[in-house]
């Protein structure tokens, strides 16, 4: 039932309780008296919901139907329920929660930004073997009651009173005479979405279960479970306790000095679940309508000597197919890669959030475009971005500006350099990774409108009074906002030129060819003062080199300036969100992969391995989120799961391991590994759209041995030699600066 419904076309009512609970139970009993050959159920909510049929949950996803700008659209999920319908009585059930629609959302203190009350709606279409059809819809003939979920909120947590469980409420034979008629939304009473559409993305699922590694008791009545991994999802609780026992679970990423869970960095998010025991034996409970970012779970209200299996971590993310592996001889770098993976998993949850634990969890456009190249290696992200690019364009301003985050909540700004550019960069990366031009064609008019805005003489993005977040969280090396904007303007124009060519928009190709050159000149004029580099920061130089904005002597000066900046910082980075992802690729393009390797292997602060040495299992928001000397960083903004600085992952695949696409969709591949004495071996693999790509190089007594696997023709670039190979497996020996092709 892939039908998009416009205003007034959806055939079902939007229902909820008449009064009371935020999280009601809803049910509808119906009869089927003859064989069916098709049964399709479509469910949606202004809020979040779980659908049930004849006593069982439908599907394996969480927080349906996801987050959108509900004023513009909401999605429905479709279920084939033919095998679950029985002759006789059947029962449809739904549990409804506030979710993003009516709960707390973002860092602005808003509750009910879109609406005050969550609502559920569904359509069940039955086709019988005799050719007749029947449609059942949500409406006033359903029944409703306050359920055991007393409160549910994505930021605050969930409260569940197991004493209110009603066994069999969603199954045939249940007496619902004490239930009430639901309240149907009256047309015009509240704003409804402009469209109701089939869900285009990948639902949130449980992708892993983590058992606690240890449990401690820092104080009487408090037990702290260490999951061993900073993760995103919920905690499954297994207990035996007297009826009415109130059990509180608090979540955090770090511990205080006294061993309790650190929550100061959560700001207004309470991130607290409460379970009230039913009594009478073992009880197992998993929250439905909240999620947390956490490594530690603090349990209060039970005896101190709890078994370690009291808490199990249920890992949630959008259920994407993961596609990458990486391993090397340095265990700390391996942990860094795992940290990047876990940061990706925790923040690709319906929208690409910046962080999953505090009162924020927004789809920041800057973080998204900075990490998308890395993400495209880690998983097949196409369905995820099919959905999020709709969110982004729903939020696009009338003048073409893209917002700072999407879905948009009416706060912060538009057309911020390095943030708004996600509207151009994300479709380009998806085309390069998967070779599909549909994503370009779909959003081409909108991308052109954005370029029209930022290529004017006076705009917020790169004009004389440009405003943006700059090189966010840099280390005392501020790059002018306008410089960043001019770099992205020129870079965007080149990407538009490439995309115009592939979709055969000839006039646009000519236009963006001209605009790319004009914008490069504007950048060059700002980057230099006379013949000298005017902006001597690692970020400015890295953008100039990695984005290919300079040529000839200008480029050589930028390279030398970058080397000098690194020398002045004792070989350590000073970059923030904007510069970090470009820094190692720029050094490799500048012929100094050795300096990029040094940056990767640095262990002092600031560095990636400093975090690893201090127990990180995800990427931190700040280079100094925690230090032994100063403790925790600024509590107003200090996430321990924030993937932006993990953008080095792209360089780890494309340079350190050494493979990258030479044509969109990996139709051709280049292998150019960074052979360095700093590693005994490096190996990585990626399941591309063409097939498996892998590269494994290791030191041997007389040089390096290289093994590659490619599904398509490839070039292999090694010291003093370039080889062309067909698809398959190949080996090379780099010996005394010479290269031999070995038989596999």
């Amino acid at each position: 039932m892939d039908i998009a419904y416009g205003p007034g076309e959806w055939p079902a009512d939007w229902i909820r309780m008449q009064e009371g609970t935020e999280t009601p139970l809803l049910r509808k009993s119906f009869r089927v008296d003859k064989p069916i050959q098709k049964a399709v159920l479509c469910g949606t909510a202004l809020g979040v919901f779980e659908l049930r049929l004849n006593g069982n949950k439908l599907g394996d996803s969480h927080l349906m139907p996801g987050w959108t700008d509900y004023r513009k659209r909401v999605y429905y999920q479709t279920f084939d329920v033919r095998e679950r319908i029985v002759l006789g009585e059947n029962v449809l059930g739904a549990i409804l929660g506030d979710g993003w629609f009516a709960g707390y959302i973002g860092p602005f203190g808003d509750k009910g930004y879109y609406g005050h009350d969550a609502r559920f709606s569904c359509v069940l279409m039955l086709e019988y073997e005799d050719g007749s059809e029947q449609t059942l819809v949500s409406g006033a003939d359903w029944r409703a009651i306050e359920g055991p979920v007393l409160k549910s909120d994505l930021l605050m947590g969930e409260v569940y009173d197991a004493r209110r469980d009603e066994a069999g409420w969603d199954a045939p034979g249940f007496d619902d005479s004490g239930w009430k008629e639901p309240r149907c939304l009256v047309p015009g009473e509240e704003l409804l979405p402009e469209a109701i559409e089939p869900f285009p993305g990948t639902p949130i699922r449980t992708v892993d279960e983590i058992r606690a590694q240890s449990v401690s008791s820092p104080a009487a009545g408090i037990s702290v479970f260490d999951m061993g991994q900073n993760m995103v999802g919920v905690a499954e609780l297994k207990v035996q306790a007297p009826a009415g026992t109130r059990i509180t679970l608090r979540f955090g990423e770090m511990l205080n000095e006294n061993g309790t869970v650190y929550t100061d960095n959560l700001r207004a998010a309470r991130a607290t679940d409460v379970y009230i025991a039913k009594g009478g034996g073992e009880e197992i409970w998993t929250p439905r309508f909240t999620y947390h970012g956490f490594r530690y779970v603090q349990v209060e209200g039970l005896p101190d000597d709890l078994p370690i299996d009291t808490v199990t971590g249920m890992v949630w993310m959008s259920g994407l197919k993961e596609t990458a592996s990486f391993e090397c001889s340095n265990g700390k770098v391996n942990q860094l890669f795992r940290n990047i993976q876990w940061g990706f998993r925790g923040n690709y949850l319906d929208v690409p959030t910046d962080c999953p634990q505090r009162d924020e969890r927004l789809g920041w456009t800057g973080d998204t475009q900075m990490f998308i190249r890395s993400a495209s290696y880690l998983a097949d992200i196409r369905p995820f971005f099919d959905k999020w690019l709709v969110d982004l364009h729903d939020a696009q301003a009338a003048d073409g500006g893209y917002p700072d985050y999407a879905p948009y909540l009416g706060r912060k700004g538009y057309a911020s350099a390095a943030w708004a550019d996600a509207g151009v960069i994300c479709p380009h990366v998806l085309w390069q990774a998967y070779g599909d031009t549909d994503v370009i064609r779909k959003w081409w008019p909108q991308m052109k409108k954005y370029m029209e805005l930022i290529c004017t003489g006076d705009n917020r993005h790169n004009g004389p009074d440009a405003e943006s977040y700059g090189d966010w969280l840099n280390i005392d090396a501020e790059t002018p906002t306008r410089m960043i904007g001019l770099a992205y303007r020129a870079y965007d124009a080149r990407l538009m030129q490439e995309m115009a060519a592939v979709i055969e928009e000839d006039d646009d190709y000519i236009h963006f060819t001209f605009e790319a050159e004009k914008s490069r000149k504007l950048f060059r004029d700002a980057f230099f003062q006379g013949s000298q580099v005017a902006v001597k920061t690692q970020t400015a130089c890295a953008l100039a080199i990695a984005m290919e904005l300079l040529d000839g002597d200008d480029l050589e000066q930028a390279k030398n300036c970058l080397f000098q900046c690194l020398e002045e910082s004792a070989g350590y980075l000073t970059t923030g969100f904007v510069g970090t992802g470009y820094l190692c690729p720029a050094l490799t393009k500048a012929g100094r992969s050795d300096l990029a390797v040094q940056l990767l292997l640095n262990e002092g602060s600031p560095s990636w391995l400093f975090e690893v040495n201090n127990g990180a299992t995800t990427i931190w928001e700040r280079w100094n989120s925690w230090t032994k000397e100063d403790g925790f960083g600024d509590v107003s903004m200090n996430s321990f799961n924030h993937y932006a600085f993990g953008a080095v992952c792209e360089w780890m695949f494309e340079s350190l391991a050494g493979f990258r696409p030479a044509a969109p969709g990996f139709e051709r591949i280049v292998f150019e590994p960074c052979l360095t004495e700093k590693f005994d071996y490096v190996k990585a693999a990626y399941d591309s759209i063409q097939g498996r790509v892998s590269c494994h190089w290791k030191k041997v007594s007389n040089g390096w041995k290289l093994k590659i696997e490619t599904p398509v023709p490839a070039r292999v670039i090694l010291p003093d030699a370039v080889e062309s190979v067909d698809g398959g497996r190949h080996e090379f020996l780099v010996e005394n600066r010479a290269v031999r092709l070995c038989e596999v």
Side-chain angles (χ1 to χ4, degrees):
M1 181 191 164
D2 289 340
I3 302 172
Y5 294 88
E9 295 177 348
W10 178 253
D13 283 326
W14 296 90
I15 63 174
R16 62 163 289 104
M17 284 287 294
Q18 289 281 0
E19 301 288 345
T21 184
E22 300 171 350
T23 314
L25 304 180
L26 304 163
R27 77 185 303 271
K28 169 64 178 174
S29 174
F30 64 97
R31 293 192 61 83
V32 171
D33 295 321
K34 52 187 177 181
I36 61 170
Q37 64 180 7
K38 186 177 182 181
V40 177
L41 176 61
C42 301
T44 186
L46 300 174
V48 290
F49 72 98
E50 179 182 301
L51 260 177
R52 306 185 69 84
L53 176 61
N54 293 337
N56 296 298
K57 178 182 175 180
L58 292 177
D60 60 356
S61 56
H62 308 295
L63 303 180
M64 297 185 296
W67 183 12
T68 54
D69 185 340
Y70 301 95
R71 296 161 298 194
K72 296 194 174 181
R73 73 189 74 244
V74 69
Y75 295 123
Y76 63 82
Q77 265 81 12
T78 302
F79 303 89
D80 181 351
V81 295
R82 178 180 178 274
E83 299 299 324
R84 302 213 185 186
I85 300 286
V86 298
L87 289 175
E89 185 186 10
N90 293 267
V91 173
L92 268 176
I95 311 173
L96 177 64
D98 282 350
W100 293 277
F101 180 83
Y104 286 95
I105 186 171
F108 312 120
D110 290 324
K111 185 181 190 303
Y113 174 76
Y114 298 101
H116 295 297
D117 297 314
R119 298 183 181 276
F120 168 76
S121 191
C122 74
V123 178
L124 173 61
M125 293 172 291
L126 301 175
E127 184 178 317
Y128 295 96
E129 289 184 356
D130 64 7
S132 61
E133 297 179 350
Q134 182 182 7
T135 299
L136 302 172
V137 299
S138 53
D141 58 343
W142 281 52
R143 307 296 288 168
I145 198 172
E146 294 184 1
V149 180
L150 306 184
K151 288 185 178 296
S152 66
D153 188 88
L154 297 175
L155 300 182
M156 303 305 176
E158 186 164 311
V159 179
Y160 191 94
D161 188 345
R163 297 170 300 179
R164 298 173 63 93
D165 284 341
E166 294 206 48
W169 70 271
D170 53 356
F174 180 81
D175 180 8
D176 65 5
S177 59
W179 290 39
K180 300 177 181 179
E181 179 181 317
R183 185 171 187 271
C184 298
L185 183 65
V186 177
E189 178 184 22
E190 290 185 17
L191 186 67
L192 285 175
E194 295 174 6
I196 303 173
E197 301 172 347
F199 183 69
T202 300
I204 299 165
R205 295 190 172 97
T206 299
V207 297
D208 200 359
E209 297 183 14
I210 298 181
R211 299 186 181 278
Q213 301 299 300
S214 64
V215 58
S216 60
S217 296
I222 295 177
S223 298
V224 175
F225 292 81
D226 179 2
M227 312 313 297
Q229 173 64 55
N230 198 8
M231 55 161 282
V232 173
V234 295
E236 179 188 82
L237 178 68
K238 183 168 67 174
V239 297
Q240 292 191 58
T245 302
R246 187 180 181 89
I247 304 160
T248 301
L249 291 79
R250 305 184 194 279
F251 298 85
E253 302 173 293
M254 300 284 280
L255 296 179
N256 295 307
E257 288 185 4
N258 65 4
T260 58
V261 168
Y262 173 74
T263 59
D264 290 353
N265 68 323
L266 302 183
R267 302 190 307 210
R270 289 196 293 271
T272 301
D273 295 340
V274 176
Y275 181 76
I276 303 170
K278 187 175 187 177
E282 183 177 84
E283 302 175 49
I284 298 176
W285 172 66
T286 306
R288 286 182 170 89
F289 298 141
T290 189
Y291 74 92
H292 311 291
F294 64 98
R295 173 173 173 170
Y296 301 96
V297 185
Q298 182 168 304
V299 179
E300 304 170 17
L302 290 171
D304 294 342
D305 55 342
L306 296 178
I308 200 165
D309 65 347
T310 300
V311 168
T312 301
M314 313 302 287
V315 180
W316 289 6
M317 72 171 288
S318 290
L320 304 174
K321 178 186 176 184
E322 297 194 357
T323 52
S325 64
F326 177 93
E327 182 185 336
C328 68
S329 56
N330 187 306
K332 294 179 180 180
V333 174
N334 292 335
Q335 182 62 51
L336 169 63
F337 178 71
R338 288 192 290 272
N339 292 0
I340 294 169
Q341 280 186 310
W342 278 98
F344 161 73
R345 289 167 182 156
N347 283 292
Y348 268 48
L349 196 146
D350 196 63
V351 303
T353 56
D354 55 329
C355 59
Q357 68 297 98
R358 67 180 180 229
D359 61 340
E360 190 157 357
R361 312 185 195 187
L362 301 177
W364 284 96
T365 48
D367 305 51
T368 302
Q369 69 87 3
M370 293 158 194
F371 191 76
I372 188 174
R373 299 168 186 82
S374 295
S376 69
Y377 282 105
L378 296 173
D380 184 349
I381 58 174
R382 287 174 293 175
F384 185 84
F385 277 92
D386 283 346
K387 187 265 184 188
W388 186 74
L389 285 173
V390 175
D391 297 332
L392 179 65
H393 287 88
D394 276 350
Q396 188 175 19
D399 65 2
Y402 289 111
D404 295 345
Y405 54 83
Y408 189 58
L409 298 177
R411 310 284 176 86
K412 300 295 182 180
Y414 276 86
S416 299
W419 271 252
D421 303 292
V424 172
I425 292 171
C426 290
H428 185 271
V429 169
L430 294 169
W431 165 51
Q432 289 293 305
Y434 305 109
D436 188 355
T437 59
D438 287 349
V439 68
I440 300 173
R441 298 179 193 278
K442 182 174 183 179
W443 303 117
W444 188 247
Q446 292 88 338
M447 288 191 281
K448 285 173 57 180
K449 192 168 185 63
Y450 173 68
M451 293 302 298
E452 182 180 343
L453 172 68
I454 70 167
C455 291
T456 58
D458 184 12
N459 63 78
R460 184 177 188 267
H461 180 276
N462 62 79
D465 298 319
E467 299 177 17
S468 80
Y469 304 96
D471 189 23
W472 187 250
L473 299 182
N474 66 86
I475 307 295
D476 298 323
E478 194 68 42
T479 302
T481 296
R482 184 166 188 256
M483 174 67 65
I484 293 171
L486 289 171
Y488 271 95
R489 169 178 169 172
Y491 183 55
D492 290 348
R494 178 165 65 83
L495 302 188
M496 293 291 286
Q497 177 191 12
E498 294 174 7
M499 290 187 284
V502 75
I503 64 173
E504 298 180 338
E505 292 286 349
D506 295 339
D507 291 344
D508 290 337
Y509 175 79
I510 294 169
H511 170 75
F512 286 114
T513 299
F514 171 80
E515 186 55 58
E517 286 305 311
K518 175 184 176 183
S519 297
R520 287 175 89 242
K521 184 178 185 303
L522 288 171
F523 174 83
R524 192 267 174 212
D525 291 345
F527 187 73
F528 287 96
Q529 188 172 34
S531 60
Q532 301 297 313
V533 174
V535 184
K536 297 181 179 180
T537 65
Q538 292 178 14
T539 290
C541 296
L543 294 178
I545 298 165
M547 291 180 172
E548 300 177 2
L549 305 181
L550 300 172
D551 298 308
D553 290 341
D554 291 345
L555 177 59
E556 293 306 310
Q557 284 203 60
K559 292 178 182 179
N560 291 331
C561 183
L562 179 56
F563 305 152
Q564 181 182 348
C565 288
L566 277 168
E567 184 177 347
E568 291 173 354
S569 64
Y572 275 75
L573 53 77
T574 61
T575 50
F577 276 25
V578 172
T580 296
Y582 291 103
L583 184 55
C584 287
L587 288 167
T588 295
K589 284 188 175 184
R592 293 299 304 272
S593 288
D594 58 316
L595 294 178
V597 170
Q598 176 187 335
L599 284 170
L600 186 71
L601 296 179
N602 283 341
E603 297 192 27
S605 180
S607 71
W608 293 282
L609 297 192
F610 174 81
E611 299 176 13
V612 171
N613 288 339
N614 283 281
T617 60
T618 44
I619 300 297
W620 294 352
E621 178 176 17
R622 296 173 176 271
W623 295 114
N624 62 342
S625 282
W626 184 88
T627 64
K628 184 176 181 180
E629 297 78 18
D630 300 323
F632 294 108
D634 182 359
V635 296
S636 69
M637 192 173 299
N638 192 23
S639 158
F640 291 89
N641 188 354
H642 218 100
Y643 58 44
F645 287 143
V648 69
C649 181
E650 172 199 4
W651 177 85
M652 292 168 68
F653 278 97
E654 295 192 350
S655 295
L656 183 58
F659 56 79
R660 63 182 185 272
F666 281 79
E667 291 186 354
R668 297 190 308 278
I669 299 172
V670 170
F671 291 86
E672 190 175 6
C674 174
L675 303 177
T676 170
E677 297 284 348
K678 299 290 186 179
F679 293 89
D680 293 331
Y681 73 90
V682 173
K683 59 181 178 181
Y686 168 58
D687 295 325
S688 78
I689 195 170
Q690 305 295 337
R692 190 170 181 82
V693 182
S694 68
C695 187
H696 178 193
W697 61 262
K698 65 179 180 179
K699 286 194 297 187
V700 293
S701 59
N702 54 343
W704 289 272
K705 180 173 281 189
L706 172 68
K707 296 180 180 180
I708 68 168
E709 179 181 4
T710 175
V712 295
R715 279 196 313 152
V716 184
I717 303 174
L718 294 167
D720 300 328
V722 177
E723 298 282 346
S724 295
V725 298
D726 294 325
R729 297 178 179 177
H730 307 274
E731 291 187 10
F732 300 86
L733 180 64
V734 180
E735 183 180 18
N736 297 324
R737 306 291 292 176
V739 179
R740 281 194 293 118
L741 181 64
C742 305
E743 295 297 326
V744 176

